[in-house]
Amino acid sequence: DGGITQSPKYLFRKEGQNVTLSCEQNLNHDAMYWYRQDPGQGLRLIYYSQIVNDFQKGDIAEGYSVSREKKESFPLTVTSAQKNPTAFYLCASSPRDRGRPEAFFGQGTRLTVV
Amino acid sequence: EDQVTQSPEALRLQEGESSSLNCSYTVSGLRGLFWYRQDPGKGPEFLFTLYSAGEEKEKERLKATLTKKESFLHITAPKPEDSATYLCAVQAISPKLSFGAGTTVTVRA
């Protein structure tokens, strides 16, 4: 089955630690995205990538970093510089086809600072 | 900057009681308007894409419509399994999606 796999489902981070969230897709999509979701707020874009080895900052990139070394993978690192990292993180992908612009989402990673 | 506002924030319905959700948007050069359904603790599930004013899409008890300034998601004769948060998003020239905060629908049997 084609889809987007995020891991882990739950992640706990200690103060001052960096943690990496995994996102893998087998849909052959060119574009991939990371969103953050907080209670009562819409999804906010952290980073996106339209092609391998290229990515752009979204609206709330501070304290986060990404890489896109393979088409299928777009990992997100939450660094110690992110002051309020507790949130639900969602990865998405889309085909970049102008006739089919819709994005499809993984099941999310819930990150908690302990 | 693209803006998306959804109303109401929450909607409680009796089973069979039809209603509509609103998504108002401000965007330069709309490429597409998207509706998603999200269950608690899960990722959003894609429902519809609308491209131009006057367009309509249907799926089971859901029907989405689009005007130049807003979109409506109509829920006809809802069932408890339609309970979820419904998200609206727009895409312009940039590939990023801008989301509204969502409408949480609760359908009581």
Side-chain angles (χ1 to χ4, degrees):
Chain A
D1 284 339
I4 301 170
T5 302
Q6 290 188 241
S7 62
K9 187 171 182 179
Y10 300 97
L11 187 58
F12 298 90
R13 192 194 93 168
K14 293 181 179 179
E15 296 280 354
Q17 270 187 342
N18 292 354
V19 291
T20 297
L21 284 59
S22 171
C23 178
E24 303 277 335
Q25 55 99 357
N26 60 4
L27 299 169
N28 200 33
H29 287 172
D30 290 304
M32 297 186 74
Y33 313 80
W34 274 105
Y35 286 87
R36 169 180 171 142
Q37 187 173 34
D38 295 282
Q41 297 191 37
L43 277 68
R44 292 182 291 167
L45 183 65
I46 304 172
Y47 270 98
Y48 66 100
S49 168
Q50 298 184 75
I51 197 168
V52 174
N53 292 323
D54 187 50
F55 48 83
Q56 287 77 41
K57 293 182 178 180
D59 300 318
I60 55 165
E62 185 175 352
Y64 300 98
S65 66
V66 293
S67 63
R68 187 86 187 276
E69 297 177 0
K70 298 186 301 181
K71 186 176 183 178
E72 301 80 18
S73 179
F74 192 40
L76 173 74
T77 297
V78 184
T79 75
S80 57
Q82 171 50 238
K83 298 306 179 188
N84 185 23
T86 294
F88 191 48
Y89 290 87
L90 289 159
C91 178
S93 70
S94 68
R96 267 190 85 199
D97 181 339
R98 284 196 173 272
R100 293 168 49 217
E102 52 265 13
F104 297 89
F105 284 83
Q107 290 303 296
T109 294
R110 186 165 299 280
L111 173 63
T112 304
V113 174
V114 296
Chain B
E1 185 176 321
D2 302 340
Q3 289 194 334
V4 182
T5 303
Q6 291 188 247
S7 61
E9 290 184 14
L11 189 59
R12 295 176 64 86
L13 302 172
Q14 201 66 35
E15 184 172 5
E17 178 188 1
S18 301
S19 189
S20 295
L21 285 56
N22 178 264
C23 172
S24 298
Y25 65 91
T26 303
V27 63
S28 297
L30 181 71
R31 183 178 165 195
L33 183 142
F34 310 91
W35 283 99
Y36 289 85
R37 170 194 170 124
Q38 187 176 26
D39 293 306
K42 301 286 182 65
E45 174 190 347
F46 170 74
L47 294 173
F48 304 111
T49 306
L50 300 168
Y51 296 99
S52 57
E55 189 174 0
E56 299 182 351
K57 294 273 181 74
E58 284 189 71
K59 180 180 180 180
E60 297 180 356
R61 295 175 292 282
L62 301 177
K63 179 180 177 179
T65 62
L66 181 65
T67 72
K68 288 187 178 180
K69 294 184 179 180
E70 57 191 350
S71 177
F72 293 92
L73 185 66
H74 308 277
I75 309 178
T76 302
K79 298 182 177 181
E81 53 261 43
D82 294 321
S83 297
T85 296
Y86 292 87
L87 302 172
C88 173
V90 297
Q91 186 180 54
I93 306 299
S94 162
K96 72 175 191 178
L97 297 179
S98 297
F99 281 83
T103 294
T104 299
V105 175
T106 304
V107 183
R108 295 168 290 176

